[in-house]
Amino acid sequence: MSERVFVGLGANLGDARGAVQAALQALAGWPGVRVAAASSLYRSAPVDAGGPDYINAAAELQTLLAPEALLDALQAIEHRHGRERPYRHAPRTLDLDLLLYGDRVLDTPRLTLPHPRLHERAFVLQPLAELAPALVLPGRGPLGPWLHACAGQQIERLT
């Protein structure tokens, strides 16, 4: 049985827009993964970091992969795009975050679901709201109030 999953995509080095779009294509071609929908692209300033503005998006997937196997796929796609992790919040050629995996709540050394900071970040919440405005975050409630709480964070929808 497939699971409804949401992934956050972002990049702020090189051709950030191209990297996000290429990552969506890579996800669509990954065995056991179907891209059900993708949000618009958004521009946002880095949070807790320096560097150029990010290009962000979210994707709704249907997958047969277990959470850890999907995480492996996301990290493989990042690696193909030259992702390095020299320090926390470093600028990125590509960043793929597993945000939600159905209603699953998980906390392991490798993976926390829902993503531990998704409810604090407009660059995650705005694309999610575009895809699923009635979404309920497991353990946190409806998306709308969290998005409202992040209203002061600058984010721009791109055409």
Side-chain angles (χ1 to χ4, degrees):
M1 186 167 111
S2 72
E3 194 72 55
R4 184 183 190 204
V5 172
F6 290 91
V7 172
L9 303 93
N12 74 334
L13 292 178
D15 178 9
R17 185 184 293 243
V20 169
Q21 291 168 333
L24 284 167
Q25 291 175 347
L27 283 167
W30 203 271
V33 174
R34 182 176 70 81
V35 176
S39 74
S40 301
L41 298 178
Y42 292 82
R43 180 186 329 275
S44 65
V47 175
D48 298 332
D53 285 353
Y54 274 85
I55 300 299
N56 298 104
E60 179 181 342
L61 311 178
Q62 290 291 325
T63 187
L64 299 171
L65 300 178
E68 293 80 5
L70 182 57
L71 179 64
D72 290 340
L74 298 177
Q75 290 177 344
I77 293 168
E78 287 177 338
H79 182 73
R80 287 183 194 165
H81 282 85
R83 170 75 190 265
E84 296 178 0
R85 299 172 190 268
Y87 55 91
R88 186 176 168 100
H89 301 303
R92 296 141 200 208
T93 54
L94 183 62
D95 186 28
L96 301 176
D97 288 327
L98 182 49
L99 303 173
L100 297 164
Y101 189 96
D103 292 330
R104 184 96 42 114
V105 175
L106 185 67
D107 190 4
T108 71
R110 244 190 114 208
L111 181 61
T112 301
L113 292 170
H115 189 283
R117 291 171 304 285
L118 80 88
H119 64 288
E120 301 171 347
R121 309 283 201 237
F123 67 82
V124 175
L125 295 170
Q126 190 66 45
L128 276 178
E130 180 184 332
L131 292 176
L135 189 65
V136 175
L137 305 178
R140 301 219 180 260
L143 190 68
W146 294 108
L147 184 58
H148 181 73
C150 293
Q153 296 176 23
Q154 187 172 335
I155 183 168
E156 172 191 4
R157 186 176 178 175
L158 303 176
T159 55

